[in-house]
Amino acid sequence: MCSSDLVEVDAQGRRAVQLAWAPVFDAEEGNSEVIFLVDCSGSMAGTSIVEARRALSLSLRSLTSRCRFNLARFGSTHEMLFPDSVPYDDSTLARADQWVSQLQADMGGTEILPALEAVLRGRPDAGTPRQLLVLTDGEVSNTEAVLSFVKRHSETTRVFAFGLGASASRHLVRGMARAGMGAAE
């Protein structure tokens, strides 16, 4: 899912790896629902929010016409692009592209649990697999509650978590993926 493109060394001798990734969605014969949840807390300022915008833009183009999708952002509060997931078409892609291009790290702290509760409310349509892609650089104070919530929804939602930046909580990112029977990067 991810490949190393470049290893850089900064002025202090620290190594940084720039990664490029392209999501691989399950290409099933039926419909699917894909929800993107992106951290827009203050700690995402700088390269993290730029990388999140790039990843979202690329990911949106990886969807198929059989998908329904939605985007949500969180910090101290949360908001969703659409009230409910919408069919993937040129019109909804254009709205999503505009929304993604305007994402900023301007939402305060990293409160992921209320955002997860909002995006996972209700059950997906019968026979429709739901996948949640979470992009975050943060660490939260309620990691175990987050992981428990994700696990409770693992029968209906598969979670893929991507940690952005060197300070991303590995426990949170890997834990969400493990609890949601997905993958982490």
Side-chain angles (χ1 to χ4, degrees), residues 39 41-45 47-48 110 136-140 162-173:
D39 185 346
S41 64
S43 64
M44 289 282 292
T47 58
S48 291
T110 309
T136 184
D137 77 337
E139 188 164 329
V140 297
F162 299 91
L164 301 173
S167 64
S169 169
R170 293 172 193 247
H171 179 62
L172 176 67
V173 171

Side-chain angles (χ1 to χ4, degrees), residues 107-134:
M107 295 189 76
T110 309
E111 298 294 329
I112 193 171
L113 187 55
L116 285 168
E117 292 169 345
V119 299
L120 297 182
R121 75 180 187 290
R123 296 180 66 83
D125 294 337
T128 302
R130 178 166 56 189
Q131 299 177 70
L132 173 64
L133 282 81
V134 179

Side-chain angles (χ1 to χ4, degrees), residues 10-86:
D10 67 12
Q12 290 80 29
R14 294 179 298 204
R15 291 177 24 157
V17 178
Q18 180 178 340
L19 299 174
W21 60 276
V24 178
F25 299 109
D26 291 340
E28 297 184 16
E29 290 296 316
N31 298 329
S32 64
E33 179 182 17
V34 180
I35 303 171
F36 301 93
L37 179 60
V38 61
D39 185 346
C40 287
S41 64
S43 64
M44 289 282 292
T47 58
S48 291
I49 197 70
V50 170
E51 291 303 316
R53 284 194 299 259
R54 286 182 187 154
L56 287 169
S57 182
L58 177 65
S59 296
L60 286 167
R61 279 149 186 77
S62 299
L63 300 177
T64 68
S65 61
R66 295 183 181 147
C67 287
R68 296 177 56 78
F69 78 103
N70 206 347
L71 293 112
R73 67 187 202 125
F74 73 95
S76 296
T77 61
H78 60 274
E79 62 183 30
M80 296 174 70
L81 174 58
F82 304 108
D84 293 301
S85 292
V86 296

Side-chain angles (χ1 to χ4, degrees), residues 95-115:
R95 284 189 59 196
D97 275 339
Q98 181 180 13
W99 190 84
V100 167
S101 72
Q102 297 174 0
L103 286 176
Q104 297 296 322
D106 60 357
M107 295 189 76
T110 309
E111 298 294 329
I112 193 171
L113 187 55

